[in-house]
């Protein structure tokens, strides 16, 4: 245990220190906002992978916890209604992705009648891994940090991967956001118990609860709760952005590097966001599917910053009203954090499984500066947690030299925004990388499809030839 | 509600949605602020005439940038203040008695030939102020090598060491700047303060200045001279903190910056001890400037999770 004693907070190389703006958010405890008035919208695609198929139609009566979207295949999880009420419509609705997604719209009857079979705790200690994973999938759990990767897929890396570390990501490095922090100090027991469930899936693994060192209350609370747990270690991390990135976490805690193009499981790690772990806890020990999440509402244009616990499907507009409404001049709406979140066209979007925060920026906060020529200052190089050369990639992307872009590892960019944040010339670095990566992966996909089509055509010919010969 | 939605256009842009407040202009202003103590000292030390040199260099730099960009129909970038910095640095690297017209021509040369012809800020591969200084040294060598304090001509300490003629000033005088030399280079103390300010503010990092100065210090003793005296005289302090750290013409990577600092130190010491010139700071930095693209290439950082492609 001497690792504890003379361990400075661990970290990774690179990264930045943006102002964290958490004074206004971290101090407020989680407020329940559990009786939404406006209609709830449940997009059928809240995860990576095939969208769900709606199982209800206009006019149907639904109950809380009822499956309203059926998963399509293994990479997919169901969507549950978080209220009881009547299906008003099933149609494409705008979501925080900026696209219209097929959604079930439910009018809340405020009864919250539950579907049968809820509130059943599972005796997970006597369940097989397959059974546990099935419950997790059926509970609709996805990574709640934003990407929306189905949790049961992440938790099932395959027998050839030896998992020796399960990391709970409590490093909420995005400025403004405080939902994970509040969760860690308000429901710490659930985090620990949820982790224990995951640890049962990986008997070889140690559990790590990773928290940045600017959250001492969360750290000491977690340490207190895990004393005597010899499979769980609480790790203090240096406060730095993007400390909560999967690759940076793994590097900081274990000194390992996820190979380029690989997954954490390739180096024996499973990383889950703290809120996801609590969702797993609730699924297994309370028998409840994923129906709620914690959302931070902040920014200069909203009356008060709040961290709400809300029913998934709740309208963002309603939440903003609950936080006191828009008081300042609203210039930009962001779903997620300021470093990696998505700008929104309006407030009429629902809270989904991946909505960690909604930021409402005034024109002053929405400062992006005037782009000017690169002065080769090297700040972007020092900031990049992947150790890329952002100013070179920027040039390649602007000149559409995609081969060079790939050669200099542009595809490894995690789009963290650090380089663009520090750039004094205000160059749109991350922005061009996102576009470049998309173009290249689209191209790759098209190539693969073409190759497959060609192979299929050749195979068909082969089959046809002997037949004709006969 | 829907109407309101359609009327309001919120700002849509790709993340990140926050940017640091630091801009090219703010950096340039801070560099000038860091140079200010040494510049003020130079006015006191050499007399008010040097103000004319500052004005000539800075004015000419900004004006030539403006004229060039007007003539070539480019965006005018004088607001980024980089031309002002170039002018100020050039002035500080000229002898106090330099004719004003030479200062004007030199400064225009720095901006047009060295900076703008190569594509403007960020694109030039040699430090504009230093290149202009060398151009002036070649063109008007006697005006560029005669130094005077309060109108009385006096040799610089490095010249005294080289020729062996004259009385060397004390170490303390050299530290404070009470010696002969170029306008802005004499006060090691104030340049050090300015340099430390830039390091603390995160404008430059410590690698180039520290390795440069240490190399000259150590090699001074190795070559049988007074190392401490070496680092306090000549253009070393202004060169190490303000010229060798020039963003555009120094390496981007940390490893590369070590190479830059040590390389500059090495060449400076060799020129000073064995070369024909008493001073080697400008040449060494320029030589290393030329190497920078190569240094950047060989010091590319190993990326996170890089997979060795064995062929
Ligand atoms: S931070 Fe901006 S100005 Fe500096 S090197 Fe990178 S791209 Fe160029
Ligand atoms: S956005 Fe990409 S290039 Fe920029 S710092 Fe992050 S990983 Fe590096």
């Amino acid at each position: 245990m001497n690792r504890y004693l003379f361990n400075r907070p661990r970290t990774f190389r690179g990264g930045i220190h943006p102002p964290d703006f958490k004074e206004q958010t971290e101090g407020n405890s989680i407020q329940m906002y559990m009786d939404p008035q406006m209609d709830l919208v449940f997009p059928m695609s809240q995860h990576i992978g095939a969208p769900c198929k709606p199982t209800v139609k206009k006019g149907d009566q639904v109950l809380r916890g009822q499956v309203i979207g059926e998963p399509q295949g293994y990479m997919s999880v169901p969507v549950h209604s978080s209220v009881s009420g009547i299906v008003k419509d099933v149609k494409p609705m705008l979501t925080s992705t900026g696209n219209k997604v097929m959604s079930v719209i439910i009018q809340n009857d405020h009864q919250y009648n539950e579907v049968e079979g809820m509130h059943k705790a599972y005796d997970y200690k006597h369940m097989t891994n397959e059974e546990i994973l099935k419950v997790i999938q059926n509970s609709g759990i996805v990574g709640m940090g934003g990407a929306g990767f189905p949790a049961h897929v992440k938790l099932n890396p395959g027998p050839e991967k030896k998992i020796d570390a399960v990391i709970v990501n409590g490093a909420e490095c995005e400025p403004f956001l405080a939902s994970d922090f509040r969760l860690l100090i308000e429901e710490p027991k659930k985090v620990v118990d949820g982790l224990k469930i995951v640890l049962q899936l990986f008997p070889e693994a140690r559990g790590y609860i990773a928290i940045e060192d600017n959250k001492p209350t969360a750290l000491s609370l977690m340490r207190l709760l895990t004393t005597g747990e010899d499979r769980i270690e609480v790790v203090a991390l240096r406060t730095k952005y993007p400390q909560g990135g999967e690759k940076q976490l793994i590097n900081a805690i274990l000194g390992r590097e996820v190979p380029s193009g690989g997954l954490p499981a390739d180096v024996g790690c499973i990383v889950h966001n703290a809120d996801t772990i609590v969702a797993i806890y609730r699924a297994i020990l309370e028998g409840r599917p994923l129906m709620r999440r914690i959302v931070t509402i902040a920014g200069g244009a909203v009356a008060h910053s709040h961290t709400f616990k809300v029913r998934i499907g709740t309208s963002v507009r309603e939440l903003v009203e609950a936080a006191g409404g828009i008081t300042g001049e609203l210039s930009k709406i962001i779903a997620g954090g300021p470093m990696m979140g998505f700008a929104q066209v309006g407030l009429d979007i629902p809270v989904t499984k991946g909505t960690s925060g909604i930021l409402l920026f005034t024109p002053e906060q929405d400062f992006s500066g005037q782009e000017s020529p690169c002065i080769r200052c090297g700040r972007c190089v020092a900031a990049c947690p992947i150790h890329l050369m952002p100013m070179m990639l920027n040039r390649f992307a602007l000149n559409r030299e995609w081969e060079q872009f790939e050669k200099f590892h542009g595809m490894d960019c995690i789009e963290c925004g650090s380089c663009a944040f520090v750039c004094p010339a205000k160059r749109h670095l991350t922005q061009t990388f996102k576009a470049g990566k998309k173009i290249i992966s689209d191209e790759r996909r098209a190539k693969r499809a073409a190759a497959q089509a060609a192979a299929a055509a050749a195979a068909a010919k082969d089959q046809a030839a002997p037949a004709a010969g006969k | 509600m829907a109407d309101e939605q359609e009327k309001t256009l919120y700002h849509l842009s790709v993340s990140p949605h926050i940017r640091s407040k630091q801009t090219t202009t703010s950096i340039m202003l801070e560099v000038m602020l860091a140079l200010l103590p040494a510049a003020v000292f130079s006015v006191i030390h050499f007399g008010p005439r040097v103000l004319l040199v500052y004005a000539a260099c800075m004015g000419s730099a900004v004006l030539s940038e403006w004229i060039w960009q007007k003539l070539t129909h480019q965006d005018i970038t004088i607001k980024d203040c980089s031309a002002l910095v170039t002018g100020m640095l050039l002035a500080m690297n000229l002898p106090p008695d330099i004719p004003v017209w030479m200062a004007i021509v030199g400064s225009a040369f720095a901006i047009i030939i060295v900076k703008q012809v190569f594509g403007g800020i960020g694109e030039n591969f040699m430090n504009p102020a230093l290149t202009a200084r060398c151009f002036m040294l070649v063109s008007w060598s006697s005006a560029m090598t005669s130094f005077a304090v309060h109108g009385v001509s006096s040799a610089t300490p490095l010249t005294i060491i080289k020729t062996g003629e004259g009385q060397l000033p004390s170490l303390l005088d050299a530290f404070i700047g009470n010696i002969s030399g170029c306008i802005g280079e004499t006060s090691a103390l104030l340049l050090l303060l300015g340099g430390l300010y830039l390091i603390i503010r995160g404008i430059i990092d410590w690698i180039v200045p520290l390795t440069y100065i240490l190399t000259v210090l150590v090699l001074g003793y190795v070559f049988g001279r007074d190392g401490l005296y070496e680092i306090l005289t000549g253009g070393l302090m202004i060169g190490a903190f303000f010229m060798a750290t020039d963003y555009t013409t120094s390496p981007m990577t940390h490893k590369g910056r070590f190479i830059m600092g040590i390389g500059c130190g090495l060449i400076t010491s060799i020129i000073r001890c064995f070369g024909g010139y008493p001073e080697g700071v400008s040449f060494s930095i320029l030589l290393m400037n030329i190497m920078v693209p190569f240094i950047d290439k060989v010091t590319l950082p190993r990326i996170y999770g890089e997979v060795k492609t064995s062929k």
Side-chain angles (χ1 to χ4, degrees):
Chain A
M1 282 292 97
N2 56 356
R3 291 180 71 186
Y4 263 135
L5 291 177
F6 38 88
N7 231 352
R8 292 194 303 154
R10 292 178 236 177
T11 194
F12 61 98
R13 188 158 69 80
I16 55 170
H17 299 274
D20 75 358
F21 302 108
K22 297 202 189 198
E23 322 73 61
Q24 324 141 1
T25 52
E26 278 192 339
N28 303 332
S29 51
I30 299 175
Q31 294 196 7
M32 307 295 270
Y33 189 79
M34 292 308 233
D35 190 25
Q37 302 301 314
M38 288 169 68
D39 293 343
L40 289 93
V41 175
F42 299 89
M44 290 294 106
S45 179
Q46 301 187 30
H47 51 264
I48 294 177
C52 290
K53 216 161 90 198
T55 55
V56 291
K57 53 184 193 313
K58 195 168 170 176
D60 281 1
Q61 180 78 36
V62 293
L63 295 172
R64 178 155 65 121
Q66 183 179 333
V67 171
I68 52 175
E70 220 166 42
Q72 303 295 306
Y74 179 62
M75 262 301 259
S76 187
V77 295
V79 177
H80 301 81
S81 176
S82 60
V83 295
S84 58
I86 292 187
V87 177
K88 267 180 95 177
D89 212 342
V90 179
K91 64 171 184 192
M93 294 291 283
L94 187 71
T95 72
S96 61
T97 58
N99 298 321
K100 285 204 165 180
V101 174
M102 186 54 73
S103 305
V104 173
I105 303 161
I106 295 176
Q107 184 177 16
N108 187 2
D109 67 8
H110 306 282
Q111 302 300 315
Y112 305 106
N113 295 324
E114 286 184 353
V115 72
E116 255 168 62
M118 290 250 284
H119 273 304
K120 180 168 145 263
Y122 292 89
D123 180 14
Y124 73 92
K125 292 210 168 104
H126 297 105
M127 283 163 77
T128 64
N129 284 6
E130 286 67 43
E131 286 165 345
I132 295 178
L133 289 174
K134 199 72 211 158
V135 175
I136 292 175
Q137 178 177 16
N138 289 342
S139 304
I141 301 175
V142 300
M144 296 175 76
F149 200 84
H152 67 282
V153 181
K154 229 184 191 183
L155 288 171
N156 189 13
E160 71 282 4
K161 304 266 159 68
K162 289 270 160 288
I163 300 300
D164 63 359
V166 174
I167 301 172
V168 179
N169 187 354
E172 196 168 28
C173 54
E174 277 267 16
F176 290 100
L177 302 189
S179 32
D180 286 351
F181 170 71
R182 291 312 308 185
L183 187 75
L184 286 170
I185 62 170
E186 291 187 37
E187 303 187 346
K189 186 94 179 41
K190 295 184 180 170
V191 177
V192 176
D193 289 346
L195 175 57
K196 284 188 195 158
I197 299 172
V198 178
L199 283 175
Q200 185 183 310
L201 297 174
F202 304 103
E204 315 276 282
R206 266 181 87 70
Y208 298 88
I209 301 175
I211 303 172
E212 288 174 297
D213 63 355
N214 63 347
K215 306 180 177 86
T217 20
L219 273 168
S220 40
L221 201 58
M222 278 296 166
R223 290 216 164 113
L224 203 70
L225 274 174
T226 54
T227 36
E229 300 284 351
D230 47 353
R231 283 185 71 194
I232 300 179
E233 186 179 327
V234 177
V235 192
L237 300 170
R238 218 160 83 215
T239 306
K240 191 159 77 168
Y241 180 87
Q243 186 64 74
E246 270 186 356
K247 294 181 167 187
Q248 284 62 47
L249 266 186
I250 293 170
N251 190 228
I253 297 173
L254 300 162
R256 300 179 196 161
E257 290 189 1
V258 180
S260 166
L263 292 171
D266 293 335
V267 288
C269 298
I270 300 278
V271 182
H272 268 304
N273 177 273
D275 206 5
T276 317
I277 293 286
V278 172
I280 292 173
Y281 165 90
R282 285 170 54 86
I284 303 285
L285 288 169
E286 294 179 359
R288 307 181 76 72
L290 180 55
M291 294 187 296
R292 64 106 189 97
R293 77 150 297 143
I294 300 176
V295 185
T296 299
I297 308 274
V302 66
H304 306 286
S305 296
H306 275 288
T307 298
F308 287 115
K309 184 184 274 185
V310 301
R311 298 182 190 278
I312 286 172
T314 302
S315 156
V316 165
R317 180 177 296 278
E318 188 177 343
L319 270 190
V320 171
E321 287 308 322
I326 303 292
T327 46
E329 189 187 336
L330 178 58
S331 158
K332 192 185 231 177
I333 306 164
I334 302 160
M339 296 300 293
M340 294 184 75
F342 295 90
Q344 303 295 317
V345 290
L347 289 171
D348 291 307
I349 48 168
V351 170
T352 58
K353 294 174 183 176
T355 311
S356 50
I358 298 289
L359 302 179
L360 303 138
F361 274 11
T362 58
E364 296 85 67
Q365 288 178 307
D366 183 17
F367 158 84
S368 53
Q370 179 74 41
E371 195 173 22
S372 59
C374 167
I375 54 173
R376 276 183 45 93
C377 67
R379 280 176 177 71
C380 53
V381 179
C384 180
I386 307 293
H387 318 147
L388 303 172
M389 299 286 265
M391 82 298 168
M392 282 168 74
L393 294 174
N394 182 232
R395 189 169 284 207
F396 297 143
L398 293 177
N399 294 340
R400 317 199 135 257
E401 298 172 54
W402 301 125
E403 260 169 43
Q404 290 291 92
F405 185 85
E406 278 196 77
K407 190 169 154 234
F408 284 88
H409 310 286
M411 296 306 278
D412 283 285
C413 166
I414 58 168
E415 304 175 10
C416 67
S418 301
C419 51
F421 176 83
V422 292
C423 179
K426 306 296 159 220
R427 301 203 57 78
H428 303 322
L429 302 168
T430 314
Q431 293 85 339
T432 53
F433 307 156
K434 281 189 168 186
K437 283 177 66 181
K438 184 155 183 334
I439 289 172
I440 292 175
S441 51
D442 284 354
E443 235 167 53
R444 280 185 188 169
R445 208 168 303 131
K447 252 191 218 146
R448 224 179 299 136
Q452 266 166 9
K461 230 192 218 157
D462 281 355
Q463 265 182 358
K470 245 186 235 166
Chain B
M1 204 179 285
D3 291 347
E4 176 217 344
Q5 183 83 55
E6 272 148 33
K7 263 185 276 159
T8 343
L9 280 184
Y10 299 112
H11 182 196
L12 289 179
S13 67
V14 182
S15 63
H17 304 288
I18 48 173
R19 302 290 192 100
S20 71
K21 288 276 171 316
Q22 204 171 43
T23 62
T24 304
T25 313
S26 77
I27 290 174
M28 295 300 160
L29 289 174
E30 287 207 60
V31 171
M32 286 197 274
L33 188 66
L35 283 169
L36 201 61
V40 170
F41 175 85
S42 71
V43 177
I44 300 165
H45 183 50
F46 293 112
R49 182 188 178 274
V50 296
L51 280 174
L52 220 59
V53 183
Y54 280 112
C57 285
M58 293 168 79
S60 162
V62 174
L63 199 66
S64 20
E65 184 153 292
W66 185 82
I67 292 175
W68 173 266
Q69 286 173 333
K70 264 267 140 84
L71 290 181
T72 53
H73 307 289
Q74 298 177 50
D75 294 340
I76 308 291
T77 61
I78 53 172
K79 274 216 298 264
D80 68 19
C81 296
S82 63
L84 275 179
V85 171
T86 300
M88 186 164 181
L89 278 174
L90 178 63
M92 295 176 88
N93 274 286
L94 297 176
D97 281 342
I98 189 82
V100 169
W101 68 270
M102 285 186 197
I104 292 175
V105 175
S107 196
F109 177 89
I111 293 297
I112 294 176
I113 309 289
V114 192
K115 181 178 172 191
Q116 290 300 339
V117 166
F118 287 95
I121 189 165
E123 303 290 337
N124 51 293
F125 68 99
M126 290 206 287
N127 184 312
L130 282 184
T131 314
R133 173 167 191 256
C134 289
F135 155 80
M136 293 169 78
L137 205 59
V138 181
S139 311
W140 307 296
S141 64
S142 73
M144 284 294 289
T145 50
S146 62
F147 296 91
V149 184
H150 299 301
V152 183
S153 79
S154 81
T156 66
L158 287 174
T159 309
I160 297 173
I161 296 178
K162 181 115 273 177
T163 57
E165 291 160 17
Q167 181 65 43
L168 270 181
S170 72
L171 199 62
L172 186 66
D173 276 342
F175 183 55
I176 294 170
N178 199 12
I179 52 175
S180 159
C182 290
I183 295 175
E185 74 179 18
T186 61
S187 178
L189 169 68
L190 296 176
L191 290 166
L192 197 69
L193 281 181
L196 287 180
Y197 169 78
L198 289 186
I199 291 175
I200 290 165
R201 295 281 301 149
I203 307 278
I204 60 174
D205 77 11
W206 54 271
I207 302 175
V208 171
L210 191 78
T211 50
Y212 191 174
I213 293 171
L214 274 186
T215 307
V216 173
L217 179 77
V218 171
L219 285 182
Y221 289 115
V222 171
F223 294 157
R225 318 216 309 184
D226 183 349
L228 202 54
Y229 209 79
E230 291 288 307
I231 63 170
L232 296 181
T233 52
L236 187 70
M237 284 295 164
I238 194 169
F241 283 108
F242 295 93
M243 322 283 270
T245 54
D246 172 38
Y247 292 148
T248 307
T249 56
S250 67
M252 313 264 305
T253 62
H254 285 186
K255 243 189 269 170
R257 286 174 182 169
F258 276 101
I259 301 179
M260 175 85 184
I262 294 172
C264 284
L266 200 69
I267 302 172
T268 302
S269 296
I270 291 177
I271 295 180
R272 280 185 181 179
C273 299
F274 309 111
Y277 285 100
E279 173 59 311
V281 168
S282 306
F283 289 124
S284 65
I285 296 175
L286 286 178
L287 275 173
M288 291 308 289
N289 282 170
I290 298 171
M291 307 274 291
V292 164
F294 178 71
I295 297 174
D296 268 345
K297 210 165 173 182
V298 298
T299 56
L300 268 186
R302 184 191 154 277
I303 76 151
Y304 176 104
E306 182 159 351
V307 185
K308 289 273 169 304
T309 39
S310 45
K311 276 193 191 141

